[in-house]
Structure formats: C-alpha cells, structure tokens
Amino acid sequence: MLNALHRVVGPVLRQAARTESRISRGHMVQLRTAATFRLLEDCLEISDGGKRMHFNYVWLRDHCRSASCFNSATHQRSLDTASIELTVRPQSSALEHGQLVLTWPGGHVSKYSLSWLAENSYEERKTASEQHRILWNADIYQNANVSTVKWDKFMSCDNELKKFLQNYLLYGIAFVDDVPTTVEATEKVTQRVSLIRETTYGRMWSFTSDFSRGDTAYSQLALDRHTDTSYFQEPCGIQVFHCLRHEGTGGRTLLVDGFHAAEKLRQRSHQNFELLFQIPIRHEYIENTDNHKNHMMGIGPVLNVYPWNNELYMIRYNNYDRSVINTIPHETVQRWYVAHRELTEELRRPENELWVKLIPGKVIFIDNWRVLHGRESFTGLRQLCGCYLTRDDILSAARCFGLQA
Ligand SMILES: C[N+](C)(C)CCCC[C@H](N)C(=O)O
Ligand SMILES: O=C(O)CCC(=O)C(=O)O
Ligand SMILES: [Fe+2]
C-alpha cells in the first residue's frame, strides 16, 4: 500500500488544529487534530492517527457534491458516472477548513468534508455496525424493563412513536398496549409505522383454529420457534399479532432472539456459522385446497451477513417449511446438519425463551428477520388477527426520526 513505487504527488498536509465531527446515521466519526492526506498511485490516502483510509479516484470523482454533479434538493446524482475516465486523477489537491479540495483535469473542483470521507470510508464501515441492537435472552429482555407504549399516545404523539421504533430496533420486538380489540384498530396501529404487505393470507388476517388454510398455524397445535414466510424470496419484514379473544387454556407466544443464538454459534464454532451463511437452501409453501392454490419457493441461506462487516441481518429458520435439501454437495450435507443442529440447540436453550401471553389490547410487532416466534398448544376459541408489514418502510420511519437503522 505504501510501497516505495507509489508516487506521492500531493504534499502531505496537516489539518488545522481542530477536531471535526459530524453525526449521521446515529453514528459519529471523529477525526483527530492532525489528519493528513497524500495522493498515491491508485488512490488518495487519509491518515488520522493510527487510522488509514483509502479513496479510489473514480470513486472521488463519482461522489463529487458540487451543484452540477449532485442535486442536493433530491439527494440524487446528476453526474453520469460513465462519463468519468477510469484512469482519472486529480490535478491538484488541498485541505481548506476541514475540507479536501480536488481539482480535476479540465478544471472541475470537488470538495469533501473530511468527516464525511471518514464516515463513508470502507475502513470505517467495515468496523461499524449498520444497526445497533441489544441481543437478548429472557433475563436480558426482562431486566431491560422496556418502556411500554399505549395506544392513545402512540397514535397522537411522535415522541411516543419514536420510543416505540427505538425499542423495535434494539430488541426486534415492540408492543403497543390498550389497542381497541378490533381488526380495524389493529390495522390503524400498524399504519403508524409501516405499510401492510399483502400476502396470500390477505391484507389483514384474522383466524381461528378452523383449518381454513392448509397450514398448521390454523390448528390448536403447538408451533416450535420459526420465522414466517421463509418460502418467499424476501421473507416478510415484520409480523404483527393481536389476540382479539381467547376462551380456553394455553396459547402463549414464544419469542427467541435468533441473532443472540447465531452470535453464540459464531463464537463457539466459526466454521459452522460460516456454513449456515454460505449455503443456500430451499423453503416451500404448497397449498392445494378447494379455495386456495399456492406454490411458493424461497431460496437463501439460514443466516445472512453483510460481507463488508460480517454483521447478521437476516435469519431464515422454519423447520416446518424447509423443503428438500438438494442444493448442498453430498460431502457437505453432514457438516450442514451438524451446524444446523448446533444453531437449533442454541435456539432451544430454555434461558433464551421469552414467553408472553398475548391478551386482547396488546399488539406485538416482531422483526421477522431476527426474532423467531412460536406458540404453545391451546384449547378453546382463540382468535388472532394481524398482518405482515414491509421492512423498508419501518426502517425509513426510524431513520426519519434520526435513529440508526
Ligand atoms: C400468520 N398467518 C397465520 C397469516 C400465516 C401463517 C403462515 C404459516 C407458514 N407456515 C409460515 O410460517 O410462514
Ligand atoms: O397462533 C399463534 O400464536 C402464531 C401462529 C403462527 O406462527 C403464525 O400465525 O405465524
Ligand atoms: Fe408463524
């Protein structure tokens, strides 16, 4: 990187003695007082104390924020990236008031604040997390005494909504209490945070154990922990449940933080963790009844991680809906089962199980990319309503409040 062959074109400059900081994405990148930069053969290097960041020249030209290259009203790029010479290099460079100023062949000038560069450097992103989360087992969640949110304030007060979103982001579950016990009110409460994702089960659904659909959810049987719609190419982002009535026994809801379990697996056996994120498998939903014909298929790994920072962003775990395994070479199948077993054992540890009885008025939102749900078997009439919500829209709502999501 700092190979002697690299021609140092720009002078090594010292930034004036001050500290730059900027908050964005709920995340602060601080540059020390003496950040320096130099132009290497193939990239610009900024050094800040022991930290080095590298910026490709095409990248720098592409990210010019001048009025002709970037529309700051729409936050869209106007510059045609294909018009940039792939061999482009700045003609001259300077540091002025915490800004890097580059002049390109032809005279175009680009300015970048050093803190913006630091925040958007690969070196920073690869150690930062995209989303701050508190991984939990039953004790951790219960001891956190997460503040409760009630229907009236939730519907009228943005601060209450923000509090709810923060809980949801941190724990992957959040509740609203005192909601009127109707499907309509349940729909209204969901419209504060996101958009309904309509599926074959309907927009809003309300069901009892009447076997109206070809799936065990529509029975009185216990359901082991799982994520829903694993048979979609993109599983639904959020699961909403509201138990409108239950005259009988049992029927408690089981919640397990899938990321807590997966992180335990990562610590214990990195190889097994890797196998579960590298190998795609199939999930299927086949329904063939008089009223419903469906054949859904979703292909993807059990664990999904961002490649630049190895952060988990989705778990797809449903042993009921997991389909034929035919995507794993025979010499790897055994290892895959071992890894899957190890994850299952972690998910099944009693201390990781959070049991809640959903009562009329209590609406739960579950991050279906992170937290697994299940239920205890039950007797009597139990009516559950709810819907799926889109993930993009709840995250967007959170970001609009300045939350890191
Ligand atoms: C929630 N609701 C009752 C509508 C649908 C249930 C879907 C059940 C399916 N086995 C899955 O896990 O995706
Ligand atoms: O009946 C329940 O509490 C949940 C059933 C279930 O897993 C589902 O509907 O997705
Ligand atoms: Fe489910």
Side-chain angles (χ1 to χ4, degrees), residues 128-159:
S129 57
E130 291 297 311
Q131 198 178 316
H132 177 53
R133 307 174 196 268
I134 298 177
L135 305 187
W136 50 266
N137 57 23
D139 273 355
I140 295 172
Y141 186 78
Q142 271 148 1
N143 293 335
N145 269 321
V146 179
S147 53
T148 61
V149 170
K150 291 194 163 54
W151 157 265
D152 274 348
K153 272 183 97 183
F154 179 77
M155 294 307 285
S156 58
C157 168
D158 280 354
N159 243 338

Side-chain angles (χ1 to χ4, degrees), residues 182-193:
T182 61
V183 176
E184 292 69 33
T186 311
E187 176 168 355
K188 272 209 187 116
V189 88
T190 68
Q191 296 312 282
R192 279 287 271 169
V193 297

Side-chain angles (χ1 to χ4, degrees), residues 146 179 187 198 203 216 234 278 308:
V146 179
V179 177
E187 176 168 355
E198 190 169 348
R203 236 178 84 76
T216 30
E234 185 189 300
Q278 282 168 347
W308 63 91

Side-chain angles (χ1 to χ4, degrees), residues 205 207 215 217-219 223-224 226 228 239 241 251-253 358 373-376 378 382 384 388:
W205 35 258
F207 70 102
D215 190 280
Y218 298 78
S219 72
L223 291 176
D224 190 27
H226 64 273
D228 265 29
Q239 168 83 283
F241 287 137
R252 284 179 309 158
T253 297
L358 295 180
H373 64 277
R375 75 158 180 235
E376 184 183 33
F378 62 91
R382 178 170 177 271
L384 196 68
Y388 296 113

